[in-house]
Coordinates of all heavy atoms in Angstrom, one line a residue:
M1 N 35.7 93.2 147.6 CA 36.0 93.4 146.2 C 36.0 95.0 146.0 O 35.1 95.7 146.5 CB 35.0 92.8 145.4 CG 35.2 92.9 143.9 SD 34.0 91.9 143.0 CE 34.1 92.7 141.5
T2 N 37.0 95.5 145.3 CA 37.1 96.9 145.0 C 36.5 97.1 143.6 O 36.9 96.4 142.6 CB 38.5 97.3 145.0 OG1 39.0 97.1 146.3 CG2 38.6 98.8 144.7
T3 N 35.7 98.1 143.4 CA 35.2 98.5 142.1 C 36.0 99.7 141.6 O 36.1 100.7 142.3 CB 33.7 98.9 142.2 OG1 33.0 97.7 142.7 CG2 33.2 99.2 140.8
V4 N 36.4 99.7 140.4 CA 37.1 100.8 139.8 C 36.2 101.4 138.7 O 35.7 100.7 137.9 CB 38.4 100.3 139.1 CG1 39.1 101.5 138.4 CG2 39.3 99.7 140.2
T5 N 36.1 102.7 138.8 CA 35.3 103.5 137.8 C 36.1 104.4 137.1 O 36.8 105.2 137.7 CB 34.1 104.2 138.6 OG1 33.4 103.3 139.3 CG2 33.2 104.9 137.6
A6 N 36.0 104.4 135.8 CA 36.8 105.4 134.9 C 36.0 106.7 134.8 O 34.8 106.7 134.6 CB 37.0 104.8 133.6
V7 N 36.7 107.8 135.1 CA 36.1 109.1 135.0 C 36.9 109.9 134.0 O 38.2 110.1 134.3 CB 36.0 109.8 136.4 CG1 35.4 111.2 136.2 CG2 35.2 108.9 137.3
A8 N 36.3 110.4 133.0 CA 37.1 111.3 132.1 C 37.4 112.6 132.7 O 36.6 113.2 133.3 CB 36.3 111.5 130.8
L9 N 38.6 113.0 132.5 CA 39.1 114.3 132.9 C 39.1 115.3 131.8 O 39.6 115.0 130.7 CB 40.5 114.3 133.5 CG 40.7 113.4 134.8 CD1 42.1 113.4 135.2 CD2 39.8 113.9 135.9
H10 N 38.5 116.5 132.0 CA 38.5 117.5 130.9 C 39.7 118.4 131.0 O 40.1 119.1 130.1 CB 37.2 118.3 130.9 CG 36.0 117.4 130.7 ND1 35.7 116.9 129.4 CD2 35.1 116.9 131.5 CE1 34.7 116.1 129.5 NE2 34.3 116.1 130.8
D11 N 40.3 118.4 132.2 CA 41.5 119.3 132.5 C 42.3 118.6 133.6 O 41.7 118.0 134.5 CB 40.9 120.6 133.0 CG 42.0 121.7 133.2 OD1 42.8 121.5 134.0 OD2 41.9 122.7 132.5
L12 N 43.6 118.7 133.5 CA 44.5 118.1 134.5 C 44.2 118.6 135.9 O 44.3 117.8 136.9 CB 45.9 118.3 134.2 CG 47.0 117.7 135.2 CD1 46.8 116.2 135.2 CD2 48.4 118.1 134.8
T13 N 43.7 119.8 136.1 CA 43.4 120.3 137.4 C 42.3 119.5 138.1 O 42.3 119.6 139.4 CB 43.0 121.8 137.4 OG1 41.8 122.0 136.6 CG2 44.1 122.7 136.8
Q14 N 41.5 118.8 137.4 CA 40.5 118.0 138.0 C 41.1 116.8 138.8 O 40.5 116.2 139.7 CB 39.5 117.4 137.0 CG 38.7 118.5 136.4 CD 37.8 118.0 135.3 OE1 38.2 117.3 134.3 NE2 36.5 118.2 135.4
A15 N 42.4 116.5 138.5 CA 43.0 115.4 139.2 C 43.9 115.8 140.3 O 44.5 115.0 141.0 CB 43.9 114.6 138.1
F16 N 44.1 117.1 140.5 CA 44.9 117.6 141.6 C 44.5 117.0 142.9 O 43.3 117.1 143.3 CB 44.9 119.1 141.7 CG 45.7 119.8 140.6 CD1 46.3 119.1 139.6 CD2 45.7 121.2 140.6 CE1 47.0 119.8 138.6 CE2 46.4 121.9 139.6 CZ 47.1 121.2 138.6
D17 N 45.4 116.3 143.6 CA 45.0 115.6 144.8 C 46.0 115.8 146.0 O 45.9 115.1 147.0 CB 44.9 114.1 144.5 CG 46.1 113.5 144.0 OD1 47.1 114.1 143.8 OD2 46.1 112.2 143.7
N18 N 47.0 116.7 145.8 CA 47.9 117.0 146.9 C 48.5 118.3 146.9 O 48.3 119.0 145.9 CB 48.9 115.9 147.1 CG 50.0 115.9 146.0 OD1 50.4 116.9 145.5 ND2 50.4 114.7 145.6
I19 N 49.2 118.7 147.9 CA 49.8 120.0 148.0 C 51.3 119.9 147.9 O 51.9 119.2 148.7 CB 49.4 120.7 149.4 CG1 47.8 120.8 149.4 CG2 50.1 122.0 149.6 CD1 47.3 121.2 150.8
A20 N 51.9 120.7 147.0 CA 53.3 120.6 146.8 C 54.0 121.8 147.5 O 55.2 121.6 147.8 CB 53.6 120.7 145.3
V21 N 53.3 122.9 147.6 CA 54.0 124.1 148.2 C 53.3 124.4 149.5 O 52.0 124.6 149.6 CB 53.9 125.3 147.2 CG1 54.6 126.5 147.9 CG2 54.5 125.0 145.9
S22 N 54.0 124.5 150.6 CA 53.5 124.8 151.9 C 54.2 126.0 152.5 O 55.3 126.4 152.0 CB 53.6 123.6 152.8 OG 54.9 123.2 153.0
D23 N 53.7 126.6 153.5 CA 54.3 127.7 154.2 C 55.3 127.1 155.3 O 55.0 126.1 155.9 CB 53.2 128.5 154.9 CG 53.7 129.8 155.4 OD1 54.3 129.8 156.5 OD2 53.5 130.8 154.8
D24 N 56.4 127.8 155.5 CA 57.4 127.4 156.5 C 56.7 127.2 157.8 O 57.1 126.2 158.6 CB 58.5 128.4 156.6 CG 59.6 128.3 155.6 OD1 59.6 127.3 154.8 OD2 60.4 129.2 155.5
S25 N 55.8 128.0 158.2 CA 55.1 127.9 159.5 C 54.1 126.8 159.6 O 53.6 126.5 160.7 CB 54.5 129.3 159.9 OG 53.4 129.5 159.0
N26 N 53.7 126.2 158.4 CA 52.7 125.2 158.4 C 53.0 124.2 157.3 O 52.3 124.1 156.3 CB 51.3 125.8 158.2 CG 50.2 124.7 158.4 OD1 50.4 123.7 159.0 ND2 49.1 125.0 157.8
P27 N 54.1 123.3 157.5 CA 54.4 122.4 156.4 C 53.5 121.1 156.4 O 53.5 120.4 155.4 CB 55.8 122.0 156.7 CG 56.0 122.2 158.2 CD 55.0 123.4 158.5
Q28 N 52.7 120.9 157.4 CA 52.0 119.7 157.6 C 51.1 119.3 156.4 O 51.1 118.1 156.0 CB 51.1 119.8 158.8 CG 50.3 118.5 159.1 CD 51.2 117.3 159.4 OE1 52.3 117.5 160.0 NE2 50.7 116.1 159.0
P29 N 50.4 120.2 155.7 CA 49.6 119.8 154.6 C 50.3 119.3 153.4 O 49.8 118.7 152.5 CB 48.7 121.0 154.3 CG 49.1 122.1 155.2 CD 50.2 121.6 156.0
G30 N 51.6 119.7 153.3 CA 52.4 119.4 152.1 C 52.7 117.9 151.9 O 53.0 117.3 152.9
D31 N 52.6 117.4 150.7 CA 52.9 116.0 150.4 C 53.1 115.9 148.9 O 52.3 115.1 148.2 CB 51.8 115.1 150.9 CG 52.1 113.7 150.8 OD1 53.3 113.4 150.7 OD2 51.2 112.8 150.8
V32 N 54.1 116.5 148.3 CA 54.3 116.5 146.9 C 54.7 115.1 146.3 O 54.5 114.8 145.2 CB 55.3 117.5 146.4 CG1 56.7 117.2 146.9 CG2 55.3 117.8 145.0
D33 N 55.3 114.3 147.2 CA 55.8 113.0 146.7 C 55.2 111.7 147.4 O 55.7 110.6 147.1 CB 57.3 113.0 146.9 CG 57.7 113.2 148.4 OD1 56.8 113.3 149.3 OD2 58.9 113.2 148.7
G34 N 54.2 111.9 148.2 CA 53.6 110.8 148.8 C 54.4 110.4 150.1 O 54.0 109.4 150.8
A35 N 55.5 111.1 150.4 CA 56.3 110.8 151.6 C 56.3 112.0 152.5 O 57.2 112.2 153.3 CB 57.7 110.5 151.2
R36 N 55.3 112.9 152.4 CA 55.0 114.1 153.3 C 56.1 115.2 153.1 O 56.3 116.0 154.0 CB 55.0 113.7 154.8 CG 54.0 112.6 155.1 CD 52.6 112.9 154.8 NE 52.1 114.1 155.4 CZ 50.9 114.6 155.0 NH1 50.2 114.1 154.1 NH2 50.5 115.8 155.5
S37 N 56.7 115.3 151.9 CA 57.6 116.3 151.6 C 56.9 117.4 150.8 O 55.9 117.2 150.2 CB 58.8 115.8 150.7 OG 59.5 114.8 151.3
S38 N 57.4 118.7 150.9 CA 56.9 119.8 150.2 C 57.9 120.8 150.0 O 59.0 120.8 150.5 CB 55.7 120.4 150.9 OG 56.0 121.0 152.1
F39 N 57.6 121.7 149.1 CA 58.5 122.9 148.8 C 58.0 124.0 149.7 O 56.8 124.2 149.8 CB 58.4 123.3 147.3 CG 58.9 122.3 146.4 CD1 58.0 121.5 145.7 CD2 60.2 122.0 146.2 CE1 58.4 120.5 144.8 CE2 60.7 121.1 145.3 CZ 59.7 120.3 144.6
F40 N 58.9 124.7 150.3 CA 58.5 125.9 151.2 C 58.4 127.1 150.3 O 59.3 127.5 149.6 CB 59.5 126.1 152.3 CG 59.5 125.0 153.3 CD1 60.7 124.4 153.7 CD2 58.4 124.5 153.9 CE1 60.7 123.4 154.7 CE2 58.4 123.5 154.9 CZ 59.6 123.0 155.2
A41 N 57.3 127.8 150.5 CA 57.0 129.0 149.7 C 58.1 130.1 149.9 O 58.5 130.7 149.0 CB 55.6 129.6 150.1
E42 N 58.5 130.2 151.2 CA 59.6 131.2 151.4 C 60.9 130.9 150.7 O 61.6 131.8 150.2 CB 59.8 131.3 152.9 CG 58.6 131.9 153.7 CD 57.5 130.9 154.0 OE1 57.6 129.7 153.6 OE2 56.5 131.2 154.7
G43 N 61.2 129.6 150.6 CA 62.4 129.2 149.9 C 62.3 129.4 148.4 O 63.3 129.9 147.8
L44 N 61.2 129.1 147.9 CA 60.9 129.4 146.5 C 61.0 130.9 146.2 O 61.7 131.3 145.2 CB 59.6 128.9 146.0 CG 59.4 127.3 146.0 CD1 58.0 127.0 145.8 CD2 60.3 126.8 144.9
A45 N 60.4 131.7 147.0 CA 60.5 133.2 146.8 C 61.9 133.7 146.9 O 62.4 134.5 146.1 CB 59.6 133.9 147.9
A46 N 62.7 133.1 147.9 CA 64.1 133.6 148.0 C 64.9 133.2 146.8 O 65.9 133.8 146.4 CB 64.7 132.9 149.3
A47 N 64.5 132.1 146.1 CA 65.2 131.7 144.9 C 64.7 132.3 143.6 O 65.1 132.0 142.5 CB 65.1 130.1 144.8
G48 N 63.7 133.3 143.8 CA 63.2 134.0 142.7 C 62.0 133.2 142.0 O 61.6 133.5 140.9
A49 N 61.5 132.2 142.7 CA 60.4 131.4 142.1 C 59.2 131.4 143.0 O 58.5 130.4 143.2 CB 60.9 129.9 141.9
G50 N 58.9 132.6 143.5 CA 57.7 132.7 144.3 C 56.4 132.7 143.5 O 56.4 132.6 142.3
A51 N 55.3 132.9 144.2 CA 54.0 133.0 143.6 C 54.0 134.0 142.5 O 54.5 135.1 142.6 CB 52.9 133.4 144.6
G52 N 53.5 133.6 141.3 CA 53.5 134.5 140.1 C 54.8 134.5 139.4 O 54.9 135.1 138.3
G53 N 55.8 133.9 139.9 CA 57.2 133.9 139.3 C 57.3 132.7 138.3 O 56.3 132.2 137.9
S54 N 58.5 132.4 138.0 CA 58.8 131.3 137.1 C 60.0 130.6 137.5 O 60.9 131.1 138.2 CB 58.9 131.8 135.7 OG 59.9 132.6 135.5
V55 N 60.2 129.4 137.1 CA 61.4 128.6 137.3 C 61.7 127.8 136.0 O 60.8 127.5 135.3 CB 61.1 127.6 138.5 CG1 60.1 126.6 138.2 CG2 62.4 126.9 138.9
G56 N 63.0 127.7 135.8 CA 63.4 127.0 134.5 C 64.3 125.8 134.8 O 64.9 125.7 135.8
S57 N 64.2 124.9 133.8 CA 65.0 123.7 133.8 C 65.1 123.1 132.4 O 64.1 123.1 131.7 CB 64.3 122.7 134.7 OG 65.0 121.4 134.7
D58 N 66.3 122.8 132.0 CA 66.6 122.2 130.7 C 66.0 123.0 129.5 O 65.4 122.5 128.6 CB 66.0 120.8 130.6 CG 66.8 119.8 131.4 OD1 68.1 120.1 131.6 OD2 66.3 118.8 131.9
G59 N 66.1 124.4 129.7 CA 65.6 125.2 128.6 C 64.1 125.5 128.6 O 63.5 126.2 127.8
L60 N 63.4 124.9 129.6 CA 61.9 125.1 129.7 C 61.6 126.0 130.9 O 62.3 126.0 131.9 CB 61.2 123.7 130.0 CG 61.4 122.7 128.9 CD1 60.9 121.3 129.4 CD2 60.7 123.1 127.7
T61 N 60.6 126.9 130.7 CA 60.2 127.8 131.8 C 58.8 127.4 132.2 O 57.9 127.2 131.4 CB 60.2 129.2 131.2 OG1 61.6 129.6 130.8 CG2 59.8 130.2 132.3
F62 N 58.7 127.3 133.5 CA 57.4 127.0 134.1 C 56.9 128.2 134.9 O 57.6 128.7 135.8 CB 57.5 125.8 135.1 CG 58.0 124.5 134.4 CD1 59.3 124.2 134.3 CD2 57.0 123.7 133.8 CE1 59.7 123.0 133.7 CE2 57.4 122.5 133.2 CZ 58.8 122.2 133.1
N63 N 55.8 128.7 134.5 CA 55.2 129.9 135.2 C 54.4 129.3 136.4 O 53.6 128.4 136.3 CB 54.3 130.6 134.3 CG 55.1 131.2 133.1 OD1 56.2 131.7 133.3 ND2 54.5 131.2 131.9
L64 N 54.6 129.9 137.5 CA 53.9 129.5 138.8 C 52.7 130.4 139.0 O 52.6 131.5 138.6 CB 54.8 129.7 140.0 CG 56.2 128.9 139.9 CD1 57.1 129.3 141.0 CD2 55.9 127.4 139.8
P65 N 51.6 129.8 139.5 CA 50.4 130.5 139.8 C 50.6 131.6 140.8 O 51.6 131.5 141.6 CB 49.4 129.4 140.3 CG 50.2 128.3 140.7 CD 51.5 128.4 139.9
T66 N 49.7 132.5 140.9 CA 49.9 133.6 141.9 C 49.4 133.2 143.3 O 49.8 133.8 144.2 CB 49.1 134.9 141.4 OG1 47.7 134.5 141.2 CG2 49.6 135.5 140.2
D67 N 48.6 132.2 143.4 CA 48.1 131.7 144.7 C 48.2 130.2 144.7 O 47.3 129.5 144.3 CB 46.7 132.2 144.9 CG 46.2 131.8 146.3 OD1 47.0 131.7 147.2 OD2 44.9 131.6 146.4
F68 N 49.3 129.7 145.3 CA 49.5 128.2 145.3 C 49.9 127.7 146.6 O 49.9 126.5 146.8 CB 50.5 127.8 144.2 CG 51.9 128.3 144.4 CD1 52.8 127.7 145.3 CD2 52.3 129.4 143.6 CE1 54.1 128.2 145.4 CE2 53.6 129.8 143.8 CZ 54.5 129.3 144.7
V69 N 50.1 128.5 147.6 CA 50.6 128.0 148.9 C 49.4 127.3 149.6 O 48.4 127.9 149.8 CB 51.2 129.1 149.8 CG1 51.5 128.6 151.1 CG2 52.3 129.7 149.1
G70 N 49.6 126.0 149.9 CA 48.5 125.3 150.7 C 47.3 124.9 149.9 O 46.4 124.4 150.5
T71 N 47.4 125.0 148.6 CA 46.3 124.5 147.8 C 46.7 123.3 147.0 O 47.8 123.1 146.7 CB 45.8 125.6 146.8 OG1 46.9 125.9 145.9 CG2 45.4 126.9 147.5
E72 N 45.7 122.4 146.7 CA 46.0 121.3 145.9 C 46.4 121.8 144.5 O 45.7 122.5 143.8 CB 44.8 120.3 145.8 CG 44.5 119.7 147.1 CD 43.3 118.7 147.0 OE1 42.5 118.8 146.1 OE2 43.2 117.9 148.0
D73 N 47.7 121.4 144.1 CA 48.3 122.0 142.9 C 48.9 121.0 142.0 O 49.6 121.4 141.0 CB 49.3 123.1 143.3 CG 50.3 122.6 144.3 OD1 50.5 121.4 144.5 OD2 51.0 123.4 144.9
N74 N 48.8 119.8 142.3 CA 49.4 118.8 141.4 C 48.7 117.4 141.6 O 47.9 117.3 142.5 CB 50.9 118.6 141.6 CG 51.2 118.0 143.0 OD1 51.4 116.8 143.1 ND2 51.3 118.8 144.0
A75 N 49.0 116.5 140.7 CA 48.4 115.2 140.8 C 49.5 114.1 140.9 O 50.4 114.1 140.0 CB 47.5 114.9 139.6
L76 N 49.4 113.2 141.9 CA 50.3 112.1 141.9 C 49.7 111.0 141.1 O 48.5 110.7 141.1 CB 50.4 111.6 143.4 CG 51.3 112.4 144.3 CD1 51.3 111.8 145.7 CD2 52.7 112.4 143.8
A77 N 50.5 110.3 140.3 CA 50.0 109.2 139.5 C 49.8 108.0 140.5 O 50.6 107.7 141.4 CB 51.1 108.8 138.5
H78 N 48.7 107.3 140.2 CA 48.3 106.1 141.0 C 48.0 105.0 140.0 O 47.0 104.2 140.2 CB 47.1 106.4 141.9 CG 47.3 107.5 142.9 ND1 48.0 107.3 144.0 CD2 46.9 108.7 142.9 CE1 48.1 108.4 144.7 NE2 47.4 109.3 144.0
G79 N 48.8 104.9 138.9 CA 48.5 103.9 137.9 C 47.5 104.2 136.9 O 47.3 103.4 136.0
Q80 N 46.9 105.4 136.9 CA 46.0 105.8 135.9 C 46.6 106.3 134.7 O 47.8 106.7 134.7 CB 45.0 106.8 136.5 CG 45.6 108.2 136.7 CD 46.3 108.4 138.0 OE1 46.8 107.5 138.6 NE2 46.3 109.6 138.5
L81 N 45.8 106.3 133.6 CA 46.3 106.8 132.3 C 45.7 108.2 132.2 O 44.6 108.5 132.5 CB 45.8 106.0 131.2 CG 46.3 104.5 131.2 CD1 45.7 103.7 130.0 CD2 47.8 104.5 131.1
A82 N 46.6 109.1 131.7 CA 46.1 110.5 131.5 C 46.5 110.9 130.0 O 47.5 111.4 129.7 CB 46.8 111.5 132.4
P83 N 45.6 110.5 129.1 CA 45.9 110.9 127.7 C 46.0 112.4 127.4 O 45.2 113.1 128.1 CB 44.7 110.2 126.9 CG 43.6 110.1 127.9 CD 44.3 109.9 129.2
R84 N 46.8 112.7 126.6 CA 46.9 114.2 126.2 C 47.4 114.2 124.8 O 48.1 113.4 124.3 CB 47.9 114.9 127.1 CG 49.4 114.4 126.9 CD 50.3 115.2 127.8 NE 51.7 114.8 127.6 CZ 52.5 115.3 126.6 NH1 52.0 116.2 125.8 NH2 53.7 114.9 126.5
P85 N 47.0 115.3 124.1 CA 47.4 115.4 122.7 C 48.9 115.7 122.6 O 49.4 116.4 123.4 CB 46.6 116.6 122.2 CG 46.2 117.3 123.4 CD 46.1 116.3 124.5
V86 N 49.5 115.1 121.7 CA 51.0 115.4 121.5 C 51.1 116.1 120.1 O 50.8 115.6 119.1 CB 51.8 114.1 121.5 CG1 53.2 114.3 121.2 CG2 51.6 113.3 122.8
M87 N 51.7 117.3 120.2 CA 51.8 118.1 119.0 C 53.3 118.1 118.6 O 53.6 118.3 117.4 CB 51.3 119.5 119.2 CG 49.8 119.5 119.4 SD 49.2 121.2 119.7 CE 48.8 121.1 121.4
R88 N 54.2 117.9 119.5 CA 55.6 117.8 119.2 C 56.3 117.1 120.3 O 55.7 117.0 121.4 CB 56.2 119.3 119.1 CG 56.0 120.1 120.3 CD 56.6 121.5 120.1 NE 56.3 122.3 121.2 CZ 57.0 122.4 122.4 NH1 58.0 121.6 122.6 NH2 56.6 123.2 123.3
P89 N 57.5 116.6 120.1 CA 58.2 115.9 121.3 C 58.3 116.9 122.5 O 58.6 118.1 122.3 CB 59.5 115.6 120.7 CG 59.3 115.6 119.2 CD 58.3 116.6 118.9
A90 N 58.0 116.4 123.6 CA 58.1 117.2 124.8 C 58.8 116.4 125.9 O 58.7 115.2 126.0 CB 56.6 117.6 125.3
S91 N 59.5 117.2 126.8 CA 60.1 116.6 127.9 C 59.5 117.1 129.2 O 60.0 116.8 130.3 CB 61.6 116.9 127.9 OG 61.8 118.2 128.0
A92 N 58.4 117.9 129.1 CA 57.7 118.4 130.3 C 56.3 118.7 130.0 O 56.0 119.0 128.9 CB 58.5 119.6 130.9
F93 N 55.5 118.7 131.0 CA 54.1 119.2 130.9 C 54.1 120.6 131.3 O 54.8 121.1 132.2 CB 53.2 118.4 131.8 CG 53.0 117.0 131.4 CD1 53.6 116.0 132.1 CD2 52.2 116.6 130.4 CE1 53.5 114.7 131.8 CE2 52.0 115.3 130.0 CZ 52.6 114.3 130.7
S94 N 53.2 121.4 130.7 CA 53.1 122.8 131.1 C 51.7 123.1 131.3 O 50.8 122.4 131.0 CB 53.6 123.7 130.0 OG 52.9 123.6 128.8

């Protein structure tokens, strides 16, 4: 029998459980999608979206952290609920 315990998160970073950005020379730790895929830091930098840079989509700009290669930087959903305050309609998390 499996026991499930609810733990309140005070910040989304507490749920970070995988690595989305890896180094070309060491892609092994990357797993942004649960299928062992990752974004290469060198490719992001070549596209102008390196550490400390930003990337845009659909009129939204996402600022990237200055140190994100090889660190847990995102959370994959595993059926959990992540309540957040909604102040206006949004199409992305920032």
Side-chain angles (χ1 to χ4, degrees):
M1 182 173 158
T2 301
T3 302
V4 177
T5 303
V7 177
L9 299 177
H10 299 285
D11 187 296
L12 180 61
T13 60
Q14 293 176 304
F16 285 1
D17 60 359
N18 70 39
I19 297 169
V21 181
S22 61
D23 191 281
D24 277 351
S25 65
N26 186 23
Q28 184 62 34
D31 188 20
V32 71
D33 59 0
R36 307 300 307 165
S37 300
S38 65
F39 298 101
F40 291 130
E42 293 81 356
L44 289 170
S54 62
V55 64
S57 177
D58 289 332
L60 300 170
T61 300
F62 298 93
N63 296 319
L64 302 173
T66 56
D67 183 28
F68 61 80
V69 177
T71 60
E72 291 182 342
D73 54 15
N74 70 92
L76 283 178
H78 300 284
Q80 71 274 30
L81 299 176
R84 66 178 183 87
V86 177
M87 294 180 250
R88 61 182 172 82
S91 60
F93 291 104
S94 61

